[in-house]
Amino acid sequence: MQDEVRLIDLLQARARLRGLIRHTPLVPSPSLSRQTGASVHLKLDCLQITGSFKLRGALNALLKLDPQARARGVIGVSTGNYGRALAHAAHSMRVRAVICMSRLVPANKVESIRALGAEVRIVGDSQDEAELEVARLVREQGLIQLPPFDHADVVAGQGTTGLEILDDLPAVDTVLVPLSGGGLLAGIALAMKSANPDIRVIGVSMERGCAMHASLRAGHPVQVEELPTLADSLGGGIGLGNRYTFPMVQRLVDDTVLVSEDEISAAIRHAYNEERVIVEGAGAVGIAALQSGRVKAGGVTAVVLSGQNIDMATHRRIVDGQPG
């Protein structure tokens, strides 16, 4: 694995993934444009195969493995969406996949991963604890670890989202991106800043335990307590030895902001009632940032809706205005 992610890696990933993933729609949002006074557009990566952007990075990383490495099988830690993406990619290539998750991962995401034929290990109450199981199985079974974000090929794959935004909305001034471990944010920021350093890139996460936000404030990777949240896909640490995403986000991203659980609920309702889109909590944080005023939309604004894999009973409660 190389020491740096470059624009050429994103371009090569786009060529590698062509025909295997969807170029997802980028659509105007009249309602958010009215609310903010800006020209707001929604990047619907919630409509990606497997229901989230994660397939881009998982598939790119798996395709780059040589046949001998693939034959050993792959393993990854996940808060749900990456596990589903890696399981889908591995199933399509007839590769063994093991996904390790904590008990905080919603049952609907766990079952979707099992349905794709992956082996599921539920370990501990945090992604960090699940990571220990990954390390054990790598040692004992020789599996190839493909991390969910801190991996050059994963970041390059996620960055293809940014290339699509530039293709479809070349006049973009501001991009809002959901933030967890930073793979999506780092990849999109690299695409944007390579095209135009003046494009404003903002990461958005939840108030309940965003490790990257805390790490940026500290100036180095730190651990945070992992708490239940509607934005469950944004949980987990970034790794104290973070190699790629922390320095990229630190260097390329203009700001990070946090939104509350109530603001996430309101954004999920808005996406359904006004945009006719089902999004999970993690996918709704950009809308939440605009509606709450935590981010002021400027010029032409793109908001990435990163996933739709919400438990539908939870979604119905939120849309009906009940607690999530």
Side-chain angles (χ1 to χ4, degrees):
M1 193 164 59
Q2 65 193 40
D3 292 324
E4 183 182 2
V5 185
R6 303 155 301 175
L7 178 60
I8 187 63
D9 300 308
L10 274 62
L11 298 172
Q12 290 173 347
R14 176 166 63 178
R16 191 175 296 115
L17 296 173
R18 189 168 288 122
L20 300 175
I21 63 168
R22 293 174 184 150
H23 181 127
T24 53
L26 182 67
V27 300
S29 171
S31 59
L32 289 172
S33 297
R34 285 194 300 270
Q35 288 178 30
T36 63
S39 176
V40 179
H41 300 252
L42 305 177
K43 175 60 172 171
L44 301 182
D45 234 34
C46 52
L47 302 182
Q48 186 55 259
I49 302 166
T50 75
S52 86
F53 74 95
K54 289 285 191 178
L55 184 61
R56 299 171 182 270
L59 188 54
N60 188 54
L62 191 56
L63 286 168
K64 285 202 69 179
L65 291 179
D66 61 50
Q68 292 78 15
R70 285 185 212 148
R72 291 163 59 184
V74 295
I75 187 169
V77 67
S78 177
T79 53
N81 284 339
Y82 179 71
R84 187 169 183 173
L86 186 56
H88 175 91
H91 179 75
S92 69
M93 300 176 69
R94 294 182 172 82
V95 173
R96 179 192 178 198
V98 181
I99 310 298
C100 298
M101 295 174 283
S102 81
R103 284 187 282 269
L104 291 179
V105 177
N108 68 300
K109 294 186 176 181
V110 175
E111 290 310 310
S112 70
I113 292 168
R114 284 200 176 102
L116 287 165
E119 302 167 38
V120 172
R121 308 288 180 100
I122 306 297
V123 182
D125 295 313
S126 71
Q127 184 164 294
D128 290 336
E129 290 181 70
E131 189 79 59
L132 296 175
E133 179 70 359
V134 171
R136 184 184 72 81
L137 292 172
V138 168
R139 285 194 312 270
E140 295 180 3
Q141 299 187 19
L143 295 163
I144 300 296
Q145 183 177 2
L146 292 180
F149 52 87
D150 197 33
H151 186 287
D153 299 329
V154 172
V155 173
Q158 316 304 30
T160 61
T161 310
L163 297 179
E164 291 179 11
I165 293 172
L166 290 167
D167 287 343
D168 298 339
L169 195 66
V172 65
D173 297 301
T174 301
V175 185
L176 275 63
V177 185
L179 169 61
S180 178
L184 180 64
L185 180 58
I188 289 178
L190 176 59
M192 295 299 149
K193 297 298 186 179
S194 298
N196 179 357
D198 292 332
I199 295 174
R200 188 170 59 137
V201 181
I202 299 173
V204 188
S205 198
M206 71 291 184
E207 292 178 343
R208 307 202 74 195
C210 178
M212 182 64 81
H213 181 82
S215 298
L216 292 168
R217 296 303 182 267
H220 57 86
V222 299
Q223 290 180 311
V224 298
E225 183 181 5
E226 197 167 336
L227 300 168
T229 171
L230 285 173
D232 53 88
S233 293
L234 301 185
I238 68 168
L240 295 182
N242 187 289
R243 184 177 174 187
Y244 295 97
T245 61
F246 177 75
M248 289 181 70
V249 170
Q250 191 178 46
R251 174 170 57 91
L252 297 169
V253 173
D254 295 283
D255 197 9
T256 62
V257 300
L258 305 181
V259 293
S260 71
E261 297 298 298
D262 286 344
E263 289 162 351
I264 295 170
S265 290
I268 292 171
R269 282 194 296 275
H270 172 92
Y272 185 74
N273 291 326
E274 300 295 333
E275 314 294 348
R276 297 297 186 259
V277 177
I278 293 172
V279 290
E280 59 187 281
V285 293
I287 293 175
L290 289 181
Q291 290 193 304
S292 65
R294 294 179 187 270
V295 172
K296 301 297 183 185
V300 179
T301 299
V303 182
V304 179
L305 275 55
S306 56
Q308 66 173 187
N309 296 321
I310 188 171
D311 174 77
M312 290 310 297
T314 300
H315 187 268
R316 283 191 291 273
R317 287 196 297 272
I318 293 171
V319 168
D320 291 341
Q322 303 173 27

